[in-house]
């Protein structure tokens, strides 16, 4: 019974996200191929990782609402919806982490084949962390995994905050959060505690450690908040987005 | 056995359900009847954990059922609201239902879709109101869960498709007897199907029991107004209607064996009984 339940849930998640991620990878490949062809082989400075993180963030926003409705329609509770999102977050982060270097290799091969003599380098956002030097492959994979894992849950959390809030709440959050960020930006730099945090991050042995220290707690925090928002989320009316990124 | 005890639910100041206790057991077709705003959809939404009650308890075979996969997998609700992604194609939605409900029969769904003329390649969003209902009917009849909840299943259907739905529902029930809870405003059409009726009014259960038993305790009396009034004496009817000099009243109680000449006694249909009850309640307010 339990096995059958998860078989169905995972089959759905794998098939639907497989289509979406395949499409995303295809689009990114076409975009970078176009840049390569138009620039005559110079692709230095291009970044796939930023697009991947934006995509992961949007998938996090959309999938939780879509799955909540679909799963409730099909006899699955909110705990299963949440666990399916964790599975999706892990799968998405892994896909992005592996697709990033794969796309880089593909473009490099094409660049050297189509434009011999050029030294096209597909820079990731992570390269600046390593003083302009391309990070090693395992480090790139780890960084991309952490970043995509965290932003997925950030998207999911924001999506659920807006799903649960009433109109006034949505307005207050929409205005309040930017106001708070601006206030923190103005006031925060002067505070000793922020300096201490920054010093702590700068003192970490590597950018990978910085990412781990930021992304892992952020992912857990967002996931925890998401569960609290999800566990009593009603499914009625037009609460969920009709926007679909799956299939 | 699905058991609800003292369920209450409010939306802001509106008390949608108040002290609702209900037991659904075994196989049978239950009719959930009530005016608009009586709390039918709220009750169905609570049964499927789409919303949570403010108070009371729900159990399925003695186990708590709110938001539990074990319980939810025993229930399929065909609500007015489409919970599948709007841009999903009909066939894909059926496939996904098959992933989630092991007892779902795809061949049956395809055959039913064909009988209704449902375009499986169409996106759900592109379907008309009637065909959206058909999509939901096809899904619901193919799932074969022990509990099937249908909320206004014939919404937007033409007479031919409504007739087909009732036939198919009976056929499906005959082949796989299960507990079906049918919420509808079209009482007259659904009456031949309904074995047990649950009548809701303003969030409370007004009457509950087998249709046969409910209707055996009610009858309709009609004739010239003067004769009817003489026959009634001090008895208060559930409801009455007058047209010209003729009067029809609905009465609760055992049907008299005989009546004065000029008066006609006939059994009250479920719809007549329902309307009479509602009018009686309104007159109390």
């Amino acid at each position: 019974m339990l096995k059958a339940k998860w078989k169905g849930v995972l089959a759905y998640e794998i098939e639907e996200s497989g289509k979406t991620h395949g499409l995303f990878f295809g689009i990114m490949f076409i975009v970078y191929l176009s840049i390569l062809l138009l620039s005559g082989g110079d692709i230095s400075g291009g970044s796939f990782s930023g697009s991947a993180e934006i995509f992961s963030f949007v998938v996090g926003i959309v999938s939780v609402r879509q799955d909540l409705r679909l799963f409730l329609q099909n006899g699955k509770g909110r705990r299963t919806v949440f666990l399916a999102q964790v599975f999706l977050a892990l799968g998405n982060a892994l896909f992005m982490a592996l697709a990033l270097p794969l796309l880089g290799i593909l473009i490099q091969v094409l660049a050297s084949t189509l434009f011999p003599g050029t030294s096209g380098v597909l820079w990731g956002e992570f390269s600046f962390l390593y003083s302009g030097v391309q990070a090693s492959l395992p480090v790139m994979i780890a960084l991309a995994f952490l970043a995509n894992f965290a932003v997925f849950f950030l998207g999911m959390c924001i999506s659920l905050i807006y799903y649960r809030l009433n109109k006034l709440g949505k307005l207050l959050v929409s205005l309040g959060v930017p106001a708070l960020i601006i206030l923190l930006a103005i006031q925060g730099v002067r505070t000793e505690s922020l300096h201490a945090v920054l010093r702590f991050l700068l003192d970490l042995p590597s950018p990978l450690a910085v990412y781990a220290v930021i992304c892992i707690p952020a992912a857990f925090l967002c996931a925890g908040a998401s569960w609290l928002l999800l566990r009593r989320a009603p499914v009625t009316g037009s609460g969920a987005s009709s926007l679909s990124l799956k299939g | 056995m699905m058991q609800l005890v003292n369920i209450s639910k409010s939306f802001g100041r509106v008390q949608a359900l108040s002290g609702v206790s209900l037991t659904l057991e075994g196989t049978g077709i239950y009719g959930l009847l009530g005016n608009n705003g009586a709390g039918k959809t709220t009750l169905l939404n609570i049964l499927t954990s789409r919303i949570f009650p403010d108070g009371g308890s729900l159990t399925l075979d003695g186990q708590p059922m709110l938001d539990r996969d074990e319980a939810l997998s025993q229930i399929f609700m065909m609500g007015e609201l489409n919970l599948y992604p709007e841009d999903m194609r009909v066939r894909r939605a059926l496939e996904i239902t098959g992933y989630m409900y092991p007892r779902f029969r795809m061949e049956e769904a395809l055959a039913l879709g064909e009988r209704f003329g449902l375009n499986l390649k169409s996106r759900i969003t592109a379907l008309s109101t009637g065909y959206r209902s058909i999509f939901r009917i096809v899904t619901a009849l193919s799932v074969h869960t022990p509990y099937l909840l249908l909320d206004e299943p014939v919404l937007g259907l033409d007479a031919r498709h409504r007739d087909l739905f009732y036939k198919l529902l009976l056929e499906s029930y005959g082949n796989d007897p299960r507990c079906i809870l049918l919420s509808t405003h079209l009482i007259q059409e659904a009456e031949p199907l309904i074995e047990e009726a649950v009548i809701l009014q303003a969030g409370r259960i007004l009457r509950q029991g087998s249709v046969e038993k409910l209707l055996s305790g009610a009858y309709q009396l009609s004739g010239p107004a003067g004769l009817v009034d003489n026959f009634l004496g001090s008895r208060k009817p559930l409801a009455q209607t007058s047209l010209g000099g003729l009067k029809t009243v609905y009465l609760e109680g055992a049907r008299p064996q005989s009546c004065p000449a000029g008066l006609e006694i006939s059994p009250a249909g479920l719809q007549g009984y329902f309307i009479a009850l509602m009018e009686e309640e309104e007159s109390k307010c």
Side-chain angles (χ1 to χ4, degrees):
Chain A
M1 181 78 180
L2 192 72
K3 200 178 161 189
K5 178 186 93 172
W6 282 106
K7 197 178 161 190
V9 168
L10 297 183
Y12 161 73
E13 293 294 0
I14 290 167
E15 284 183 19
E16 293 296 307
S17 61
K19 287 180 206 166
T20 316
H21 285 75
L23 187 67
F24 173 72
F25 188 84
I27 289 170
M28 292 311 292
F29 178 74
I30 290 166
V31 166
Y32 282 104
L33 185 64
S34 307
I35 294 170
L36 181 74
L37 294 172
L38 291 171
S39 65
D42 178 21
I43 51 163
S44 58
S47 171
F48 173 66
S49 50
S51 315
E53 282 150 27
I54 291 167
F55 180 78
S56 297
F57 178 70
V58 176
V59 171
I61 288 175
V62 176
S63 68
V64 67
R65 292 191 186 198
Q66 186 173 302
D67 287 359
L68 176 63
R69 289 162 64 89
L70 187 74
F71 284 25
L72 256 290
Q73 172 65 70
N74 286 291
K76 305 287 177 283
R78 290 160 182 80
R79 191 184 298 266
T80 304
V81 174
F82 181 75
L83 291 174
Q85 299 313 297
V86 174
F87 171 79
L88 193 57
L90 285 166
N92 171 72
L94 192 64
F95 174 87
M96 292 304 182
L98 296 174
L100 181 97
L102 179 66
L103 186 69
I105 292 165
L106 268 172
I107 296 296
Q108 294 292 349
V109 169
L110 279 168
S112 56
T113 310
L114 296 170
F115 305 99
T118 55
S119 56
V121 175
L122 187 67
W123 296 93
E125 67 166 27
F126 308 120
S127 53
F128 76 89
L129 297 168
Y130 288 85
S131 311
V133 180
Q134 189 84 342
S136 69
L137 190 61
V139 170
M140 287 265 288
I141 289 172
L143 287 168
F145 181 87
L146 288 170
N148 285 285
F149 188 64
V151 295
F152 179 97
F153 281 117
L154 179 65
M156 178 177 161
C157 188
I158 290 171
S159 180
L160 286 168
I161 287 171
Y162 277 87
Y163 185 76
R164 295 300 305 274
L165 286 175
N166 58 20
K167 277 183 186 172
L168 180 65
K170 282 175 189 167
L171 187 70
L172 288 174
V173 169
S174 302
L175 296 174
V177 172
L180 188 70
I181 290 169
I182 292 166
L183 199 69
L184 279 175
I186 297 167
Q187 296 292 323
V189 286
R190 294 180 206 156
T191 62
E192 197 52 40
S193 54
L194 189 72
H195 284 182
V197 171
L198 289 172
R199 270 199 304 275
F200 168 73
L201 291 174
L202 289 170
D203 287 347
L204 286 169
S206 71
L208 181 60
V210 175
Y211 259 61
V213 164
I214 294 171
C215 292
I216 294 172
F220 276 89
L221 192 71
C222 289
S226 296
W227 168 242
L228 293 176
L229 291 162
L230 184 65
R231 60 193 287 270
R232 291 273 153 177
V235 177
T236 54
S238 55
S241 164
S242 59
L243 174 67
S244 175
L245 269 178
K246 291 181 174 181
Chain B
M1 180 173 73
M2 192 188 283
Q3 196 163 30
L4 288 79
V5 180
N6 212 18
I7 296 295
S8 61
K9 177 71 185 176
S10 60
F11 298 102
R13 290 179 198 164
V14 179
Q15 190 71 37
L17 291 176
S18 179
V20 170
S21 296
L22 176 68
T23 302
L24 303 175
E25 59 183 329
T27 59
I29 301 181
Y30 290 78
L32 182 60
L33 314 174
N35 288 332
N36 289 325
K40 302 186 297 296
T41 301
T42 301
L43 182 63
L44 294 176
N45 281 336
I46 288 174
L47 286 173
T48 47
S49 299
R50 293 180 185 185
I51 56 173
F52 292 88
D54 298 333
S57 71
L58 290 96
T59 55
L60 185 73
D61 299 330
Q63 299 296 314
M65 61 180 279
L66 267 181
D67 210 29
R68 302 279 179 101
D69 285 2
E70 298 75 28
L72 292 174
S73 62
Q74 306 290 306
I75 307 166
F76 187 86
M77 174 168 155
M78 198 211 92
E80 287 180 63
L81 186 69
N82 170 48
L83 296 184
Y84 289 90
E86 292 282 321
D87 63 348
M88 189 173 270
R89 292 187 195 278
V90 171
R91 194 187 175 101
R92 180 66 181 149
L94 294 174
E95 280 171 5
I96 287 168
T97 308
Y99 287 172
M100 305 288 189
Y101 285 104
R103 279 178 282 199
F104 178 81
R105 298 174 193 164
M106 190 62 171
E107 304 75 36
E108 188 180 356
L110 297 178
L112 288 172
E114 202 175 318
R115 287 184 76 173
F116 277 108
L118 177 65
N119 181 4
L120 299 173
K121 289 177 187 167
S122 175
R123 291 186 191 276
I124 295 170
T125 191
L127 296 173
S128 66
T129 308
Y131 270 101
R132 279 180 181 227
S133 289
I134 288 171
F135 157 63
R136 295 196 296 266
I137 286 169
V138 165
T139 314
L141 293 181
S142 310
V143 163
H144 297 280
T145 48
Y147 295 88
L148 176 61
L149 315 181
L150 305 170
D151 190 12
E152 295 296 347
V154 293
L155 190 76
L157 293 194
D158 58 41
R160 190 174 61 90
H161 280 147
R162 288 207 303 275
D163 185 56
L164 180 58
F165 163 69
Y166 294 126
K167 280 179 187 159
L168 290 171
L169 182 64
L170 271 182
E171 202 175 284
S172 176
Y173 178 70
N175 294 334
D176 177 21
R178 49 205 193 272
C179 183
I180 298 173
L181 183 58
L182 172 67
S183 165
T184 183
H185 286 297
L186 302 175
I187 302 171
Q188 210 158 15
E189 283 186 9
E191 187 176 343
L193 283 75
I194 298 171
E195 297 167 46
E196 300 262 338
V198 180
I199 301 177
L200 271 178
Q201 204 259 341
R204 290 174 184 276
I205 292 184
L206 202 59
R207 294 284 189 283
Q208 185 184 341
S210 76
V211 172
E212 197 183 338
K213 198 175 167 187
L214 285 175
L215 297 184
S216 70
Y219 60 96
Q220 183 180 308
L221 178 78
S222 52
L227 279 177
V228 171
D229 289 339
N230 282 341
F231 182 82
L232 285 176
S234 59
R235 290 180 67 190
K236 198 173 177 300
L238 280 175
Q240 56 186 16
T241 54
S242 296
L243 187 66
L246 291 173
K247 193 171 188 177
T248 301
V249 293
Y250 290 91
L251 293 156
E252 262 189 329
R255 204 187 317 171
Q257 296 300 314
S258 60
C259 68
L263 291 181
E264 191 186 336
I265 289 177
S266 54
L270 188 58
Q271 176 154 293
Y273 178 71
F274 172 80
I275 293 169
L277 270 181
M278 292 300 123
E279 284 181 2
E280 188 203 16
E281 287 302 308
E282 267 178 29
S283 68
K284 285 180 187 169
C285 296

